[in-house]
């Protein structure tokens, strides 16, 4: 038993070493996990690889890929395959991400008239969301908090909504971050230009 255990253990160690080698080869390395799974159709030693997705398309491209499993009753005989399986799962998700369609913001494919409507829609959403946030903050049924804490809660909720909307619209993480930077810069500019806003601008600014 000791010899078999050592053989499997050495194979797992070699597979982990190979995963670390592959991590050093690119700027977006795959994360490799070697897991023990019991009790379902994947029961066995499972190797899974994934690459951090920058766009919804990259996430969808990896769905269902990058996983290999050796059943427990075959592990002793197939332990030598583990390093090759690491190569296989990493290669699979790397190719999937490489071939994922680029994230194209829907608004960039619209004509001038549609872009004008898009801008109006942004303004309308902004007013509606601000009014909704103010209503929640003023609701007597909610716990009383300082204005700072209420604003922070509003920010976190808005970012969660923005993340969901970005995913639905196939907007990349970098584009979403750019929009956040632009929005913060716009608020800072307004605060600098207006003496009454030079402290902390209210939510309805």
């Amino acid at each position: 038993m000791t010899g078999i255990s050592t053989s499997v253990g050495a194979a797992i160690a070699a597979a982990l070493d190979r995963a670390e080698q592959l991590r050093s080869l690119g700027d977006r390395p795959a994360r490799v996990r070697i897991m023990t799974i019991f009790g379902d159709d994947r029961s066995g030693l499972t190797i899974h690889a994934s690459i951090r997705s920058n766009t919804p398309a990259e996430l969808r491209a990896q769905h269902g890929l990058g996983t290999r499993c050796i059943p427990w009753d075959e592990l002793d005989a197939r332990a030598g395959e583990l390093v090759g399986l690491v190569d296989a799962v990493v290669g699979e998700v790397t190719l999937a991400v490489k071939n994922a369609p680029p994230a194209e913001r829907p608004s960039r494919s619209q004509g001038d008239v549609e872009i004008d409507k898009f801008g109006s829609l942004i303004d309308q959403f902004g007013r509606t969301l601000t009014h909704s946030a103010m209503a929640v903050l003023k609701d007597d049924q909610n716990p009383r908090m300082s204005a700072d804490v209420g604003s922070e809660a509003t920010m976190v909720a808005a970012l969660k909504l923005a993340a969901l909307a970005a995913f639905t619209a196939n907007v990349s993480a970098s584009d979403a971050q750019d929009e956040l930077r632009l929005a913060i810069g716009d608020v800072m500019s307004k605060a600098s230009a207006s003496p009454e806003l030079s402290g902390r601008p209210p939510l309805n600014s």
Side-chain angles (χ1 to χ4, degrees):
M1 293 294 293
T2 303
I4 294 175
S5 177
T6 302
S7 175
V8 172
I12 293 175
L16 291 172
D17 285 343
R18 180 56 178 163
E20 286 302 311
Q21 292 173 9
L22 294 175
R23 282 180 60 85
S24 65
L25 298 181
D27 57 350
R28 291 179 63 192
R31 179 191 180 195
V32 177
R33 293 182 296 167
I34 298 180
M35 304 171 289
T36 55
I37 296 180
F38 295 89
D40 61 17
D41 56 357
R42 297 175 301 156
S43 183
L45 192 70
T46 297
I47 300 176
H48 177 72
S50 62
I51 295 177
R52 175 182 51 81
S53 301
N54 288 335
T55 68
E58 290 181 355
L59 179 64
R60 296 185 185 103
Q62 295 180 74
H63 181 70
L65 302 179
T67 301
R68 299 290 189 279
C69 178
I70 298 180
W72 293 119
D73 58 359
E74 300 177 16
L75 183 57
D76 291 340
R78 297 178 57 190
E81 299 178 21
L82 290 175
V83 171
L85 292 180
V86 169
D87 286 334
V89 294
V90 170
E92 192 170 77
V93 295
T94 299
L95 183 63
V97 169
K98 180 181 178 181
N99 292 334
E104 182 63 33
R105 295 176 61 169
S107 60
R108 291 178 178 170
S109 62
Q110 304 299 313
D112 292 340
V113 174
E114 287 76 12
I115 291 299
D116 288 341
K117 294 179 181 178
F118 181 65
S120 298
L121 188 60
I122 291 174
D123 293 338
Q124 184 178 350
F125 272 130
R127 289 190 297 270
T128 301
L129 293 173
T130 299
H131 292 158
S132 297
M134 295 299 296
V136 171
L137 292 173
K138 293 178 180 179
D139 191 337
D140 292 336
Q141 295 183 0
N142 290 324
R144 306 313 301 171
M145 294 184 179
S146 66
D148 288 349
V149 174
S151 291
E152 182 178 348
T154 303
M155 177 202 68
V156 174
L159 288 176
K160 289 183 177 181
L161 176 60
L164 177 61
F167 183 85
T168 304
N170 199 37
V171 174
S172 69
S174 60
D175 275 348
Q177 290 167 0
D178 287 344
E179 289 293 343
L180 177 59
R181 281 190 287 267
L182 288 172
I184 292 176
D186 184 53
V187 171
M188 295 296 185
S189 296
K190 290 179 179 178
S192 298
S194 301
E196 66 272 18
L197 298 180
S198 59
R200 295 184 178 181
L203 284 176
N204 61 357
S205 62

